[in-house]
Amino acid sequence: MSGRHEEDGGYLMVAAAVHAAVDSARIRSVEGMGFAVSRSRPTLDATLSVVAEAVGELPALPAGPVVAERGEFYERPASTVSLEFQPDFKYIESIAERETVRIAHHAAYAARELVR
C-alpha cells in the first residue's frame, strides 16, 4: 500500500499485491503483481477493499495466504482482516514474507507516482 494521506484536497491509495513463491528465508520467484487505486477516504473498509481488488488483479490467485504488515489494517486482529480475503490472511511471520511485502510497497509507491 502506498499513501493513505490527503493530497490536493483528496485521497489517493494505491495497493500492490505480489504473488511470490517463498521459503522461510528468501523469495524463490515472483509469479505476478496486481494493482488497485482508490480515492476513498482512508478507512479500514476502504483499505480492505483496495487491497482485495489488488489481490483479485493477480494473474493467478496464490495457494498460500495474503500477507501484510499489521499497520496496513489499523492494527486489527488477523482474524478480523481474514474475513475479507481468499485464500487466508495472516500478518508477516518470516523473512521471506517481509521481503515480499517490501516488494509490494515499492511497486505501490512507483505506481502511485504514475497515477498522481
Side-chain angles (χ1 to χ4, degrees), residues 63-77:
V66 172
V67 180
E69 292 176 326
R70 186 171 290 278
E72 295 297 349
F73 298 109
Y74 304 93
E75 306 291 327
R76 293 291 172 34

Side-chain angles (χ1 to χ4, degrees), residues 70-86:
R70 186 171 290 278
E72 295 297 349
F73 298 109
Y74 304 93
E75 306 291 327
R76 293 291 172 34
S79 59
T80 300
V81 176
S82 68
L83 299 174
E84 300 297 322
F85 295 104
Q86 290 297 325

